[in-house]
Amino acid sequence: MTHAAQLLHEAESFLIVPHLHPDGDALGSALGLYHALKQMGKTHGVVVSHDPVPEIYRYLPDWQQVHTEHSHHRTYDVAVVVDQSQLNRAGKHEPLVRAARKILQIDHHVLMEPFADVALVDTRAAATAELVYRLLRHMRLPLTPEVATCLLTGIVTDTFSFKFPNTTPRTLRIAAALQQAGADLSYINEQVFETRSFSAVKLLGLALATLQRTEDGKIAWVSIPRSAFEAAHAHEEETEGIVNFVRSVRGVEVAMMLRESPNHKVRASLRSRGAVNVALLAQQFGGGGHENAAGCTLETSLAEAERILVAEAQRWMASSSSISRAG
Ligand SMILES: [Mn+2]
């Protein structure tokens, strides 16, 4: 915490980078930190993202300050990489991060490849935004309503509005402090979870129509082909949240959402209920994440990806239950 604070205190220019396909935690953490640093008088800073801000997060204060393009000539004092455990998750901005004098990582994923000069990593934190909050407090920076809105968005999205088991008493205390500082919890919930585009709801319908499960009912999944995106006029980002419907099916321990990307890849979102660690499952395919929420990409057809992932999840669950029986 102290090293991270010192790095930010000393830096005159800074770069903040959320991950590819940024979610509410990546964007909320990035923008929350951006606002706080600006308040410190550090105006030579920029937030760069591989992908644009998804529509549902376009209520975050100054979301327009998240740039997707950047001229790669500048060397920043500090590159702050938020909510990612691998530097390649910075996407096209990875060279810019590597060119910075120092790299600060703020993250709550299981550490996969150490890349930072200073790593503020706590896997027990429900959201990276929790760590940004703790860092700002440590630096005695005031919490403005803008900062609070950004950070509470990170916590709300990563805890699925305090419903996931990653929600701790500390998470709730931090959320309360953010609400006290001016963040509007019900407004954030309304924006993130209760407001969808027409095309996203169409896509949800097409996706749920593909719902399948294994005979024992423990694994369920949906597979979204390109044709569904075209029929719904939907973008890839509009699949957000669909996997939670799959996970909600009674008896399901592992839920998956597979979607076909335009470049003949299949991206899979994995969720689990109970003891199954889907991060380990995702890691077998070069992905990662958390125990109960992870993702990976397969370079194969949708049907083949479905077969491979279901088989692997079944194998995984069989072996982990035999371990627990033996133990
Ligand atoms: Mn996160």
Side-chain angles (χ1 to χ4, degrees):
M1 198 65 75
T2 310
H3 292 299
Q6 197 182 350
L7 207 57
L8 291 179
H9 270 303
E10 287 167 4
E12 273 173 27
S13 62
F14 61 91
L15 178 73
I16 305 176
V17 191
H19 54 71
L20 289 165
H21 307 286
D23 58 14
D25 189 29
L27 291 167
S29 297
L31 282 168
L33 187 61
Y34 173 79
H35 283 289
L37 291 174
K38 278 195 96 169
Q39 266 168 53
M40 282 174 78
K42 295 187 185 289
T43 49
H44 301 291
V46 65
V47 183
V48 293
S49 167
H50 182 92
D51 296 297
V53 175
E55 218 151 313
I56 59 167
Y57 301 119
R58 294 192 183 169
Y59 67 91
L60 290 169
D62 281 344
W63 67 267
Q64 300 93 334
Q65 293 304 316
V66 179
H67 301 281
T68 52
E69 298 304 326
H70 189 281
S71 58
H72 285 240
H73 300 306
R74 212 175 150 167
T75 303
Y76 289 90
D77 290 339
V78 176
V80 189
V81 179
V82 294
D83 203 37
Q84 50 198 299
S85 58
Q86 291 164 289
L87 203 45
N88 60 14
R89 299 268 289 146
K92 64 186 177 190
H93 301 302
E94 184 181 338
L96 195 61
V97 174
R98 290 196 188 276
R101 291 190 182 87
K102 295 278 180 192
I103 300 176
L104 167 61
Q105 176 194 18
I106 308 178
D107 187 33
H108 66 134
H109 295 88
V110 178
L111 192 56
M112 289 183 55
E113 73 174 42
F115 59 82
D117 296 289
V118 176
L120 178 53
V121 177
D122 183 351
T123 55
R124 291 160 307 175
T128 294
E130 259 192 60
L131 297 171
V132 173
Y133 171 87
R134 281 153 57 184
L135 178 61
L136 298 185
R137 296 272 79 180
H138 183 83
M139 294 172 76
R140 299 182 195 285
L141 291 175
L143 289 172
T144 62
E146 288 77 25
V147 172
T149 299
C150 292
L151 298 184
L152 190 56
T153 293
I155 292 172
V156 162
T157 50
D158 268 22
T159 61
F160 198 43
S161 208
F162 310 106
K163 287 180 228 170
F164 283 164
N166 59 359
T167 309
T168 63
R170 188 180 209 176
T171 310
L172 293 172
R173 278 194 291 270
I174 292 174
L178 293 170
Q179 194 178 32
Q180 193 96 52
D184 186 336
L185 179 60
S186 77
Y187 174 77
I188 291 171
N189 271 306
E190 182 71 28
Q191 297 303 312
V192 175
F193 297 112
E194 308 296 337
T195 310
R196 287 173 172 270
S197 64
F198 184 79
S199 52
V201 178
K202 280 288 264 195
L203 184 69
L204 170 67
L206 296 172
L208 292 182
T210 73
L211 180 66
Q212 294 183 70
R213 62 178 166 182
T214 50
E215 221 163 284
D216 61 8
K218 290 183 179 170
I219 305 169
W221 66 96
V222 292
S223 297
I224 315 174
R226 281 321 300 165
S227 58
F229 285 97
E230 284 152 20
H233 300 289
H235 304 289
E236 210 164 334
E237 69 185 49
E238 292 177 302
T239 53
E240 178 135 353
I242 292 178
V243 70
N244 295 318
F245 287 91
V246 183
R247 185 181 169 276
S248 72
V249 175
R250 183 171 291 122
V252 165
E253 291 175 22
V254 173
M256 306 195 277
M257 178 191 68
L258 281 62
R259 60 184 195 267
E260 202 176 4
S261 287
N263 51 7
H264 301 288
K265 289 180 183 172
V266 174
R267 288 173 51 82
S269 301
L270 315 175
R271 298 289 182 275
S272 69
R273 199 160 25 196
V276 187
N277 186 337
V278 285
L280 296 176
L281 189 60
Q283 271 175 28
Q284 295 196 17
F285 300 98
H290 308 283
E291 213 175 298
N292 296 111
C296 57
T297 302
L298 281 76
E299 291 191 37
T300 178
S301 69
L302 190 57
E304 184 65 6
E306 190 176 306
R307 197 188 60 72
I308 293 170
L309 282 168
V310 172
E312 197 53 33
Q314 275 180 312
R315 200 183 65 79
W316 195 262
M317 287 165 77
S319 69
S320 58
S321 68
S322 64
I323 290 165
S324 65
R325 269 200 303 275

Short mmCIF file of all heavy atoms in Angstrom, two decimals, residues 201-214 219-229 231-232 239 242-243 245-247 249 252 255-260 266-267 269 302-303 306-307 310:
data_model
loop_
_atom_site.label_atom_id
_atom_site.label_comp_id
_atom_site.label_asym_id
_atom_site.label_seq_id
_atom_site.Cartn_x
_atom_site.Cartn_y
_atom_site.Cartn_z
N VAL A 201 -31.77 -7.43 -25.18
CA VAL A 201 -32.85 -8.29 -24.69
C VAL A 201 -33.25 -9.30 -25.76
O VAL A 201 -33.52 -10.47 -25.47
CB VAL A 201 -34.06 -7.45 -24.22
CG1 VAL A 201 -35.21 -8.36 -23.76
CG2 VAL A 201 -33.65 -6.53 -23.07
N LYS A 202 -33.22 -8.88 -27.04
CA LYS A 202 -33.46 -9.82 -28.15
C LYS A 202 -32.42 -10.94 -28.12
O LYS A 202 -32.74 -12.12 -28.26
CB LYS A 202 -33.33 -9.09 -29.50
CG LYS A 202 -34.52 -8.30 -29.93
CD LYS A 202 -35.65 -9.18 -30.35
CE LYS A 202 -35.71 -9.38 -31.87
NZ LYS A 202 -37.02 -9.95 -32.24
N LEU A 203 -31.17 -10.53 -27.94
CA LEU A 203 -30.07 -11.51 -27.92
C LEU A 203 -30.22 -12.47 -26.74
O LEU A 203 -29.99 -13.68 -26.88
CB LEU A 203 -28.72 -10.78 -27.85
CG LEU A 203 -27.50 -11.69 -27.94
CD1 LEU A 203 -27.36 -12.30 -29.32
CD2 LEU A 203 -26.22 -10.91 -27.58
N LEU A 204 -30.63 -11.93 -25.60
CA LEU A 204 -30.87 -12.75 -24.42
C LEU A 204 -31.86 -13.87 -24.75
O LEU A 204 -31.65 -15.04 -24.41
CB LEU A 204 -31.39 -11.87 -23.27
CG LEU A 204 -31.91 -12.58 -22.03
CD1 LEU A 204 -30.78 -13.29 -21.30
CD2 LEU A 204 -32.57 -11.58 -21.07
N GLY A 205 -32.93 -13.50 -25.45
CA GLY A 205 -33.95 -14.49 -25.83
C GLY A 205 -33.37 -15.57 -26.73
O GLY A 205 -33.57 -16.77 -26.50
N LEU A 206 -32.60 -15.15 -27.74
CA LEU A 206 -32.01 -16.12 -28.67
C LEU A 206 -31.00 -17.00 -27.95
O LEU A 206 -30.90 -18.20 -28.22
CB LEU A 206 -31.33 -15.38 -29.84
CG LEU A 206 -32.27 -14.56 -30.73
CD1 LEU A 206 -31.48 -13.72 -31.73
CD2 LEU A 206 -33.24 -15.50 -31.47
N ALA A 207 -30.24 -16.39 -27.02
CA ALA A 207 -29.23 -17.16 -26.28
C ALA A 207 -29.92 -18.20 -25.38
O ALA A 207 -29.53 -19.37 -25.39
CB ALA A 207 -28.38 -16.21 -25.44
N LEU A 208 -30.95 -17.77 -24.65
CA LEU A 208 -31.61 -18.69 -23.72
C LEU A 208 -32.32 -19.84 -24.45
O LEU A 208 -32.48 -20.93 -23.89
CB LEU A 208 -32.57 -17.93 -22.81
CG LEU A 208 -31.90 -16.98 -21.80
CD1 LEU A 208 -32.95 -16.31 -20.93
CD2 LEU A 208 -30.88 -17.71 -20.93
N ALA A 209 -32.69 -19.59 -25.70
CA ALA A 209 -33.33 -20.66 -26.48
C ALA A 209 -32.36 -21.81 -26.76
O ALA A 209 -32.78 -22.91 -27.10
CB ALA A 209 -33.87 -20.09 -27.80
N THR A 210 -31.05 -21.57 -26.59
CA THR A 210 -30.06 -22.63 -26.83
C THR A 210 -29.68 -23.36 -25.54
O THR A 210 -28.77 -24.19 -25.55
CB THR A 210 -28.76 -22.07 -27.47
OG1 THR A 210 -28.03 -21.35 -26.46
CG2 THR A 210 -29.05 -21.15 -28.65
N LEU A 211 -30.35 -23.04 -24.44
CA LEU A 211 -29.99 -23.60 -23.13
C LEU A 211 -30.00 -25.14 -23.12
O LEU A 211 -30.96 -25.77 -23.58
CB LEU A 211 -30.97 -23.08 -22.08
CG LEU A 211 -30.76 -23.54 -20.64
CD1 LEU A 211 -29.45 -23.00 -20.07
CD2 LEU A 211 -31.93 -23.09 -19.76
N GLN A 212 -28.91 -25.72 -22.63
CA GLN A 212 -28.80 -27.19 -22.50
C GLN A 212 -28.17 -27.51 -21.16
O GLN A 212 -27.55 -26.66 -20.55
CB GLN A 212 -27.89 -27.75 -23.59
CG GLN A 212 -28.39 -27.62 -24.99
CD GLN A 212 -27.41 -28.28 -25.96
OE1 GLN A 212 -27.27 -29.48 -25.99
NE2 GLN A 212 -26.73 -27.45 -26.71
N ARG A 213 -28.31 -28.77 -20.75
CA ARG A 213 -27.61 -29.19 -19.55
C ARG A 213 -27.21 -30.66 -19.66
O ARG A 213 -27.76 -31.40 -20.49
CB ARG A 213 -28.46 -28.96 -18.30
CG ARG A 213 -29.75 -29.75 -18.29
CD ARG A 213 -30.52 -29.51 -16.99
NE ARG A 213 -31.88 -30.00 -17.13
CZ ARG A 213 -32.81 -29.90 -16.18
NH1 ARG A 213 -32.53 -29.31 -15.03
NH2 ARG A 213 -34.02 -30.38 -16.37
N THR A 214 -26.27 -31.05 -18.82
CA THR A 214 -25.86 -32.45 -18.79
C THR A 214 -26.96 -33.27 -18.11
O THR A 214 -27.84 -32.70 -17.45
CB THR A 214 -24.54 -32.61 -18.01
OG1 THR A 214 -24.67 -31.93 -16.75
CG2 THR A 214 -23.37 -32.03 -18.78
N ILE A 219 -24.20 -29.22 -15.05
CA ILE A 219 -23.56 -28.28 -15.97
C ILE A 219 -24.60 -27.83 -16.98
O ILE A 219 -25.30 -28.65 -17.57
CB ILE A 219 -22.39 -28.96 -16.72
CG1 ILE A 219 -21.38 -29.55 -15.72
CG2 ILE A 219 -21.69 -27.96 -17.65
CD1 ILE A 219 -20.34 -30.45 -16.37
N ALA A 220 -24.73 -26.52 -17.12
CA ALA A 220 -25.68 -25.99 -18.10
C ALA A 220 -24.97 -24.91 -18.92
O ALA A 220 -24.02 -24.28 -18.43
CB ALA A 220 -26.90 -25.40 -17.41
N TRP A 221 -25.41 -24.75 -20.15
CA TRP A 221 -24.74 -23.78 -21.00
C TRP A 221 -25.64 -23.25 -22.11
O TRP A 221 -26.65 -23.88 -22.44
CB TRP A 221 -23.47 -24.40 -21.62
CG TRP A 221 -23.72 -25.52 -22.58
CD1 TRP A 221 -23.80 -25.45 -23.95
CD2 TRP A 221 -23.93 -26.91 -22.25
NE1 TRP A 221 -24.04 -26.69 -24.48
CE2 TRP A 221 -24.13 -27.60 -23.47
CE3 TRP A 221 -23.97 -27.63 -21.06
CZ2 TRP A 221 -24.36 -28.98 -23.52
CZ3 TRP A 221 -24.21 -29.01 -21.11
CH2 TRP A 221 -24.40 -29.66 -22.32
N VAL A 222 -25.25 -22.09 -22.62
CA VAL A 222 -25.85 -21.55 -23.84
C VAL A 222 -24.73 -21.28 -24.83
O VAL A 222 -23.60 -21.00 -24.44
CB VAL A 222 -26.65 -20.24 -23.59
CG1 VAL A 222 -27.89 -20.50 -22.76
CG2 VAL A 222 -25.78 -19.17 -22.94
N SER A 223 -25.04 -21.42 -26.11
CA SER A 223 -24.06 -21.19 -27.17
C SER A 223 -24.65 -20.19 -28.15
O SER A 223 -25.70 -20.43 -28.71
CB SER A 223 -23.77 -22.49 -27.94
OG SER A 223 -23.19 -23.43 -27.07
N ILE A 224 -23.95 -19.08 -28.30
CA ILE A 224 -24.50 -18.02 -29.15
C ILE A 224 -23.71 -17.92 -30.46
O ILE A 224 -22.55 -17.50 -30.46
CB ILE A 224 -24.45 -16.65 -28.42
CG1 ILE A 224 -24.94 -16.82 -26.96
CG2 ILE A 224 -25.29 -15.62 -29.14
CD1 ILE A 224 -24.79 -15.57 -26.12
N PRO A 225 -24.32 -18.34 -31.56
CA PRO A 225 -23.63 -18.26 -32.84
C PRO A 225 -23.64 -16.83 -33.40
O PRO A 225 -24.45 -16.00 -32.94
CB PRO A 225 -24.43 -19.20 -33.74
CG PRO A 225 -25.81 -19.16 -33.16
CD PRO A 225 -25.68 -18.89 -31.69
N ARG A 226 -22.79 -16.57 -34.38
CA ARG A 226 -22.77 -15.25 -35.03
C ARG A 226 -24.16 -14.87 -35.53
O ARG A 226 -24.57 -13.71 -35.48
CB ARG A 226 -21.82 -15.26 -36.25
CG ARG A 226 -20.33 -15.13 -35.99
CD ARG A 226 -19.91 -14.19 -34.92
NE ARG A 226 -20.30 -12.80 -35.10
CZ ARG A 226 -20.26 -11.90 -34.14
NH1 ARG A 226 -19.85 -12.22 -32.94
NH2 ARG A 226 -20.63 -10.67 -34.37
N SER A 227 -24.86 -15.86 -36.05
CA SER A 227 -26.18 -15.59 -36.65
C SER A 227 -27.14 -14.95 -35.63
O SER A 227 -27.98 -14.13 -36.01
CB SER A 227 -26.78 -16.87 -37.22
OG SER A 227 -26.91 -17.84 -36.21
N ALA A 228 -26.99 -15.33 -34.36
CA ALA A 228 -27.87 -14.74 -33.33
C ALA A 228 -27.54 -13.26 -33.14
O ALA A 228 -28.44 -12.42 -32.99
CB ALA A 228 -27.72 -15.49 -32.02
N PHE A 229 -26.23 -12.94 -33.14
CA PHE A 229 -25.83 -11.52 -33.01
C PHE A 229 -26.40 -10.72 -34.18
O PHE A 229 -26.89 -9.61 -34.01
CB PHE A 229 -24.30 -11.39 -33.00
CG PHE A 229 -23.68 -11.82 -31.71
CD1 PHE A 229 -23.14 -13.09 -31.56
CD2 PHE A 229 -23.61 -10.95 -30.63
CE1 PHE A 229 -22.56 -13.49 -30.37
CE2 PHE A 229 -23.03 -11.33 -29.43
CZ PHE A 229 -22.49 -12.61 -29.30
N ALA A 231 -29.04 -11.52 -36.11
CA ALA A 231 -30.50 -11.46 -36.05
C ALA A 231 -30.98 -10.42 -35.02
O ALA A 231 -31.98 -9.75 -35.23
CB ALA A 231 -31.06 -12.84 -35.70
N ALA A 232 -30.23 -10.29 -33.92
CA ALA A 232 -30.64 -9.35 -32.87
C ALA A 232 -30.04 -7.96 -33.08
O ALA A 232 -30.33 -7.04 -32.32
CB ALA A 232 -30.22 -9.89 -31.50
N THR A 239 -23.74 -9.39 -24.40
CA THR A 239 -23.94 -10.70 -23.78
C THR A 239 -23.78 -10.62 -22.27
O THR A 239 -24.03 -11.59 -21.56
CB THR A 239 -22.91 -11.72 -24.30
OG1 THR A 239 -21.60 -11.18 -24.13
CG2 THR A 239 -23.13 -12.05 -25.76
N ILE A 242 -25.82 -12.61 -19.32
CA ILE A 242 -26.60 -13.76 -19.78
C ILE A 242 -26.24 -15.03 -19.00
O ILE A 242 -27.11 -15.82 -18.63
CB ILE A 242 -26.40 -13.98 -21.31
CG1 ILE A 242 -27.03 -12.82 -22.09
CG2 ILE A 242 -27.01 -15.31 -21.76
CD1 ILE A 242 -26.87 -12.90 -23.60
N VAL A 243 -24.96 -15.17 -18.71
CA VAL A 243 -24.51 -16.40 -18.02
C VAL A 243 -25.16 -16.55 -16.64
O VAL A 243 -25.34 -17.66 -16.14
CB VAL A 243 -22.96 -16.43 -17.95
CG1 VAL A 243 -22.40 -15.40 -16.98
CG2 VAL A 243 -22.47 -17.84 -17.57
N PHE A 245 -28.24 -16.08 -15.91
CA PHE A 245 -29.51 -16.80 -16.06
C PHE A 245 -29.25 -18.31 -16.09
O PHE A 245 -30.01 -19.10 -15.54
CB PHE A 245 -30.22 -16.38 -17.36
CG PHE A 245 -30.82 -15.01 -17.30
CD1 PHE A 245 -30.09 -13.89 -17.70
CD2 PHE A 245 -32.12 -14.83 -16.83
CE1 PHE A 245 -30.64 -12.62 -17.63
CE2 PHE A 245 -32.68 -13.57 -16.77
CZ PHE A 245 -31.94 -12.46 -17.16
N VAL A 246 -28.16 -18.68 -16.76
CA VAL A 246 -27.79 -20.10 -16.86
C VAL A 246 -27.44 -20.63 -15.47
O VAL A 246 -27.86 -21.71 -15.07
CB VAL A 246 -26.60 -20.28 -17.83
CG1 VAL A 246 -26.26 -21.75 -17.99
CG2 VAL A 246 -26.90 -19.64 -19.18
N ARG A 247 -26.71 -19.82 -14.75
CA ARG A 247 -26.28 -20.21 -13.41
C ARG A 247 -27.47 -20.34 -12.45
O ARG A 247 -27.42 -21.07 -11.47
CB ARG A 247 -25.30 -19.15 -12.89
CG ARG A 247 -24.66 -19.44 -11.55
CD ARG A 247 -23.74 -18.27 -11.19
NE ARG A 247 -23.29 -18.35 -9.82
CZ ARG A 247 -23.99 -17.90 -8.78
NH1 ARG A 247 -25.18 -17.35 -8.97
NH2 ARG A 247 -23.50 -18.01 -7.57
N VAL A 249 -30.27 -21.74 -12.89
CA VAL A 249 -31.07 -22.98 -13.02
C VAL A 249 -30.81 -23.88 -11.81
O VAL A 249 -29.65 -24.12 -11.44
CB VAL A 249 -30.70 -23.74 -14.33
CG1 VAL A 249 -31.44 -25.08 -14.39
CG2 VAL A 249 -31.02 -22.88 -15.54
N VAL A 252 -27.69 -26.45 -10.92
CA VAL A 252 -26.49 -26.17 -11.73
C VAL A 252 -25.31 -25.78 -10.84
O VAL A 252 -25.45 -24.95 -9.95
CB VAL A 252 -26.78 -25.04 -12.75
CG1 VAL A 252 -25.48 -24.48 -13.35
CG2 VAL A 252 -27.66 -25.57 -13.87
N ALA A 255 -21.98 -23.07 -14.86
CA ALA A 255 -22.75 -22.46 -15.95
C ALA A 255 -21.77 -21.88 -16.97
O ALA A 255 -20.74 -21.32 -16.59
CB ALA A 255 -23.64 -21.35 -15.41
N MET A 256 -22.09 -22.03 -18.23
CA MET A 256 -21.20 -21.50 -19.26
C MET A 256 -22.00 -20.75 -20.32
O MET A 256 -23.11 -21.14 -20.68
CB MET A 256 -20.44 -22.64 -19.95
CG MET A 256 -19.70 -23.53 -18.97
SD MET A 256 -18.49 -24.57 -19.78
CE MET A 256 -19.52 -25.90 -20.32
N MET A 257 -21.39 -19.67 -20.78
CA MET A 257 -21.94 -19.00 -21.95
C MET A 257 -20.83 -18.97 -23.00
O MET A 257 -19.75 -18.44 -22.77
CB MET A 257 -22.35 -17.56 -21.63
CG MET A 257 -22.88 -16.85 -22.88
SD MET A 257 -23.08 -15.08 -22.64
CE MET A 257 -21.40 -14.54 -22.47
N LEU A 258 -21.12 -19.58 -24.14
CA LEU A 258 -20.15 -19.60 -25.23
C LEU A 258 -20.65 -18.68 -26.32
O LEU A 258 -21.85 -18.68 -26.64
CB LEU A 258 -20.02 -21.02 -25.81
CG LEU A 258 -19.18 -22.04 -25.04
CD1 LEU A 258 -19.76 -22.30 -23.67
CD2 LEU A 258 -19.10 -23.32 -25.83
N ARG A 259 -19.74 -17.89 -26.86
CA ARG A 259 -20.16 -17.04 -27.97
C ARG A 259 -19.11 -17.03 -29.07
O ARG A 259 -17.91 -17.01 -28.81
CB ARG A 259 -20.46 -15.64 -27.49
CG ARG A 259 -19.31 -14.92 -26.84
CD ARG A 259 -19.84 -13.57 -26.34
NE ARG A 259 -18.77 -12.66 -26.00
CZ ARG A 259 -18.26 -12.53 -24.78
NH1 ARG A 259 -18.69 -13.30 -23.80
NH2 ARG A 259 -17.32 -11.65 -24.54
N GLU A 260 -19.63 -17.05 -30.28
CA GLU A 260 -18.77 -17.10 -31.45
C GLU A 260 -18.32 -15.68 -31.79
O GLU A 260 -19.15 -14.79 -31.97
CB GLU A 260 -19.58 -17.69 -32.61
CG GLU A 260 -18.77 -18.28 -33.72
CD GLU A 260 -19.67 -18.93 -34.77
OE1 GLU A 260 -20.92 -18.86 -34.66
OE2 GLU A 260 -19.13 -19.50 -35.71
N VAL A 266 -13.96 -18.72 -30.09
CA VAL A 266 -15.12 -18.85 -29.21
C VAL A 266 -14.71 -18.36 -27.83
O VAL A 266 -13.71 -18.83 -27.28
CB VAL A 266 -15.61 -20.32 -29.13
CG1 VAL A 266 -16.72 -20.45 -28.10
CG2 VAL A 266 -16.10 -20.78 -30.49
N ARG A 267 -15.43 -17.39 -27.33
CA ARG A 267 -15.15 -16.90 -25.99
C ARG A 267 -16.14 -17.54 -25.02
O ARG A 267 -17.33 -17.62 -25.31
CB ARG A 267 -15.27 -15.37 -25.93
CG ARG A 267 -14.11 -14.67 -26.64
CD ARG A 267 -14.31 -13.18 -26.73
NE ARG A 267 -14.64 -12.59 -25.44
CZ ARG A 267 -13.74 -12.26 -24.51
NH1 ARG A 267 -12.46 -12.45 -24.73
NH2 ARG A 267 -14.12 -11.72 -23.38
N SER A 269 -17.62 -17.71 -21.03
CA SER A 269 -17.73 -17.17 -19.67
C SER A 269 -18.18 -18.31 -18.78
O SER A 269 -19.16 -18.99 -19.09
CB SER A 269 -18.77 -16.05 -19.61
OG SER A 269 -18.42 -15.01 -20.48
N LEU A 302 -17.85 -23.40 -32.70
CA LEU A 302 -18.71 -23.30 -31.53
C LEU A 302 -19.09 -24.70 -31.01
O LEU A 302 -19.03 -24.96 -29.80
CB LEU A 302 -19.96 -22.50 -31.91
CG LEU A 302 -20.89 -22.06 -30.78
CD1 LEU A 302 -20.15 -21.23 -29.74
CD2 LEU A 302 -22.06 -21.25 -31.34
N ALA A 303 -19.44 -25.58 -31.94
CA ALA A 303 -19.85 -26.93 -31.54
C ALA A 303 -18.71 -27.67 -30.85
O ALA A 303 -18.90 -28.37 -29.85
CB ALA A 303 -20.33 -27.71 -32.77
N GLU A 306 -17.97 -26.26 -27.37
CA GLU A 306 -19.01 -26.74 -26.46
C GLU A 306 -18.67 -28.15 -25.98
O GLU A 306 -18.70 -28.43 -24.78
CB GLU A 306 -20.32 -26.73 -27.26
CG GLU A 306 -21.56 -26.95 -26.47
CD GLU A 306 -22.79 -26.82 -27.39
OE1 GLU A 306 -22.94 -25.79 -28.08
OE2 GLU A 306 -23.60 -27.76 -27.43
N ARG A 307 -18.30 -29.01 -26.92
CA ARG A 307 -17.98 -30.40 -26.59
C ARG A 307 -16.78 -30.45 -25.64
O ARG A 307 -16.80 -31.12 -24.61
CB ARG A 307 -17.67 -31.16 -27.89
CG ARG A 307 -17.73 -32.67 -27.77
CD ARG A 307 -17.20 -33.34 -29.03
NE ARG A 307 -15.81 -33.00 -29.33
CZ ARG A 307 -14.76 -33.44 -28.65
NH1 ARG A 307 -14.93 -34.24 -27.62
NH2 ARG A 307 -13.53 -33.07 -28.98
N VAL A 310 -17.59 -28.81 -22.02
CA VAL A 310 -18.49 -29.62 -21.20
C VAL A 310 -17.77 -30.86 -20.71
O VAL A 310 -17.83 -31.22 -19.53
CB VAL A 310 -19.79 -29.99 -21.98
CG1 VAL A 310 -20.62 -31.00 -21.21
CG2 VAL A 310 -20.60 -28.74 -22.28
#
